[in-house]
Amino acid sequence: MSQPLDTVIIGAGTAGLAALREVRKRTDRYLIVNEGPWGTTCARVGCMPSKALIEAANAFHRRHTFEAFGLRGATGLSADIAAVLQRVRSLRDNFVAGAMQATEALGAARIAGSATVLGPNAVDVEGTTYATRSIIIATGSRPRVPDEWLAFGDRMLTTDTLFEQPTLGPRVAVIGMGVIGVEIAQALARLGIEVATFSTGDTLAGLKDPALNAELAALLKHEMVLHTGAPAELREVAGGIEVRSGPNRVVVDQVIAAMGRVPNIEHLGLQTLGLPLDKRGMPAVNPQTQQIGDLPVFLAGDANAHAPLLHEAADEGHIAGINAMACALTPAAAPAAAPTRFQRRTPLTIVFCDPQVAMVGQRLADLESAHTVTGTVSFENQGRARAAQRNHGRLNVYADRATGRLQGAEMCAPEAEHMAHLLALAVQQKLTVHELLGMPFYHPVLEEGLRTALRDAARQLADAANSPESDLASCPALGVPALE
C-alpha cells in the first residue's frame, strides 16, 4: 500500500486556499479537492460582486443630492440595469480569475470532484480511497432556500444567481433582512427597482442595539417597503409571485432569498468520525485550533458556521493548515502533537448599506448594563457629514464602567467601515476611553463624531473629573457643532 498523504483539503474557497498555503510550505504530499465552481464564494457570488453592485447603486443615488449642491440636470440620469449587471460580472470574473491562480498549477494534487470522509484517516474522492494523516474540511456554504420555493424556477434568486441575470424585473421582494438582505435590497432600490422586504424578526443587518436598529429601520423605510415581525409566504398569482407576511401583501416579478447560508456538510460523512453531531449534523469545533475533538481533522471557514466572513475564513484556514501539518508530520513513535491554540482577532462585522452598519467587539446585548456605560453620537448635526449631505445615523461605544476600557461598539453611520477599524484596533489593544481621547483627531473628519461619542462615555466614568489639566485627553468640546 502506498504511503499515506499528509493531508487532504476538501474545498478550495478562502479557508481551503489559506490552508493550502500553509500545507505547501511543509509538504508536497497533499490533495486539494473541490466540488463545483473553483474560486472563492467571496469572489464569485459574495463580497466582491455585491460591492460592485452597491457602488453603482450609490453612485446613481447621489443624484438626489445634486440640487442641494447646486448641480443641475440630475433628472436626466437613468440606470441601465443590464449594463450595471454586466459590469458586475466583468469585475467578478476578474476577481475569480485571481483566486483560481492559486490552484491552477498544482497538477495531480488538484482534483475536481466530490469527497467523502471515511474516518479520521481516509477520504474517498470520486470512488478512489486515499489514506491520509490529516483532513482539512473547508467546503463553504450555500444560500438557504425553502424547498417549496424552488418551484418558482429562475424567478427565485439568491446571491448565487442574482448577478447572472441579464436584467431584473421592475418589482422585487427580498426575504430576509440580515447583512446580505439589507445590502442587496437597498442597492436594487437605489437603482430604481421597486423593492419590498420581509423579515421574520425585527432586527436588521445583525444589529443588537435597539436604538441603532430603530435608526436603520427608519432610514430604510424612505427607500423601500419594509415588513418585519412575521414569516413570508409565497404563491403563484396572475402577474407574478404573491408574497404575504401577516396582513401585508405584494406581487413581484422576482424574489431574492436572503435568509442566511447553510454549511455544506451533510454529505461529507462526518458521522464516520465517531463523535457526536448536533441537530445540524455539525461536530464541535475548537475555534482556537479548528480541530474536531482530538482527531487529526479540522473544520474551517463557512463550513463550521462560526462567522461566514472572508477574513475569518482566511484565519481559520491558516490555523487549520498549521495544525493539520503538526499532526501529519509528527513521527509515528512520538506523542501526538498538541495543536497550536491561536488567539482570535476582535470580532468585526461591516454591512455596506448607507449609512454603513458596523459591529466591533462585544455587542450591547452581550454586556451587563450595570457595569457598562454607553457613549453616543448622532451624525445629524456633525459638520463633515452635513457638508457631504450624509448626516444620518448614530454611533454607540460601550466601555467598562470600572476600568474605562472599551468593550465594543455598534453603529449605523456614514463611512462606518473606517471608524470600525479604529475601534477594533482599540478593543484588541485593550485601550481605555481616556487613552482613545488622547489620540489625534483631525478636523474636519467624520471621526470627530467618534470623539463625541467617546467624550459622552468619559463623562459617565468614575475618574472623568480627575484628569490633570496637562492631559489633552480631557480637552473638552468647544460647543460649536460645526467645529466638533
Side-chain angles (χ1 to χ4, degrees):
M1 185 176 180
S2 61
Q3 186 178 357
L5 297 168
D6 289 324
T7 197
V8 175
I9 304 170
I10 307 175
T14 298
L17 294 179
L20 174 66
R21 180 190 60 217
E22 298 308 317
V23 168
R24 294 182 71 190
K25 292 176 183 177
R26 296 164 173 83
T27 184
D28 58 4
R29 295 187 53 76
Y30 66 87
L31 286 179
I32 182 165
V33 185
N34 189 72
E35 184 175 15
W38 293 72
T40 68
T41 295
C42 172
R44 285 191 303 106
V45 296
C47 322
M48 300 313 294
S50 67
K51 300 316 166 284
L53 181 72
I54 289 166
E55 291 292 350
N58 288 345
F60 186 52
H61 186 72
R62 288 287 282 170
R63 75 194 187 282
H64 293 301
T65 67
F66 286 1
E67 283 294 318
F69 277 124
L71 308 175
R72 311 303 181 208
T75 55
L77 296 175
S78 63
D80 182 338
I81 303 298
V84 168
L85 290 170
Q86 179 56 49
R87 176 181 180 270
V88 168
R89 287 191 291 274
S90 178
L91 283 170
R92 184 274 313 275
D93 292 346
N94 181 263
F95 298 139
V96 170
M100 291 179 65
Q101 289 177 359
T103 58
E104 284 179 341
L106 296 181
R110 175 188 191 270
I111 299 178
S114 62
T116 305
V117 174
L118 302 177
N121 295 107
V123 177
D124 175 273
V125 181
E126 294 292 320
T128 299
T129 298
Y130 294 88
T132 180
R133 294 187 173 93
S134 67
I135 302 170
I136 300 170
I137 299 169
T139 45
S141 62
R142 64 185 185 279
R144 184 189 306 276
V145 183
D147 290 342
E148 60 271 24
W149 291 5
L150 298 177
F152 294 105
D154 59 8
R155 294 174 297 164
M156 175 58 60
L157 304 176
T158 67
T159 51
D160 280 6
T161 56
L162 170 63
F163 307 116
E164 303 306 320
Q165 304 307 303
T167 190
L168 295 170
R171 305 168 300 172
V172 170
V174 177
I175 315 295
M177 286 296 278
V179 171
I180 296 171
V182 167
E183 287 185 348
I184 296 300
Q186 188 184 55
L188 297 182
R190 290 188 164 193
L191 287 168
I193 293 173
E194 185 178 317
V195 176
T197 64
F198 299 84
S199 178
T200 302
D202 294 319
T203 58
L204 305 172
L207 284 167
K208 293 186 178 181
D209 189 313
L212 294 174
N213 192 69
E215 187 99 17
L216 178 60
L219 291 169
L220 291 178
K221 285 177 181 177
H222 290 296
E223 303 187 43
M224 66 194 72
V225 176
L226 179 60
H227 300 303
T228 61
E233 300 176 355
L234 277 58
R235 72 184 182 106
E236 187 81 43
V237 297
I241 302 172
E242 179 189 76
V243 185
R244 284 185 177 272
S245 175
N248 305 299
R249 172 189 178 275
V250 298
V251 176
V252 298
D253 304 294
Q254 291 158 308
V255 174
I256 300 173
M259 299 174 292
R261 298 183 67 87
V262 182
N264 293 323
I265 58 169
E266 55 270 86
H267 303 302
L268 278 172
L270 294 178
Q271 70 278 2
T272 65
L273 298 177
L275 295 176
L277 305 179
D278 65 18
K279 62 183 180 181
R280 303 169 299 169
M282 183 77 70
V285 179
N286 186 316
Q288 292 182 291
T289 65
Q290 304 308 128
Q291 188 174 25
I292 297 175
D294 59 357
L295 302 176
V297 184
F298 302 84
L299 184 54
D302 288 12
N304 68 28
H306 165 241
L309 301 165
L310 180 139
H311 60 278
E312 297 284 2
D315 282 353
E316 291 180 359
H318 174 81
I319 295 168
I322 290 173
N323 282 332
M325 287 298 91
C327 288
L329 301 179
T330 299
T340 301
R341 299 176 64 88
F342 286 77
Q343 180 65 44
R344 300 300 296 269
R345 304 181 206 261
T346 295
L348 172 62
T349 299
I350 298 170
V351 187
F352 294 88
C353 52
D354 182 26
Q356 290 179 344
V357 168
M359 289 79 76
V360 178
Q362 296 188 75
R363 316 282 191 84
L364 181 63
D366 303 327
L367 299 165
E368 294 184 33
S369 58
H371 302 298
T372 305
V373 302
T374 298
T376 188
V377 61
S378 168
F379 283 84
E380 183 178 2
N381 207 29
Q382 204 268 340
R384 180 64 184 276
R386 287 179 62 193
Q389 295 192 77
R390 303 186 65 188
N391 50 319
H392 304 289
R394 179 173 294 276
L395 180 154
N396 288 349
V397 296
Y398 315 124
D400 182 81
R401 187 178 297 276
T403 65
R405 181 187 294 176
L406 187 69
Q407 303 293 297
E410 292 183 63
M411 65 202 80
C412 168
E415 303 294 338
E417 60 186 288
H418 304 300
M419 287 180 279
H421 278 89
L422 288 175
L423 289 166
L425 174 64
V427 171
Q428 187 144 328
Q429 295 299 312
K430 301 180 180 180
L431 299 182
T432 66
V433 169
H434 190 80
E435 287 170 329
L436 275 167
L437 283 171
M439 301 294 182
F441 286 84
Y442 204 78
H443 173 77
V445 294
L446 292 169
E447 283 75 8
E448 288 177 297
L450 168 59
R451 182 176 61 185
T452 300
L454 292 168
R455 283 171 169 166
D456 185 41
R459 284 190 290 268
Q460 303 170 60
L461 295 172
D463 61 352
N466 299 326
S467 298
E469 290 185 355
S470 59
D471 189 348
L472 283 175
S474 302
C475 178
L478 293 175
V480 181
L483 301 181
E484 299 300 341

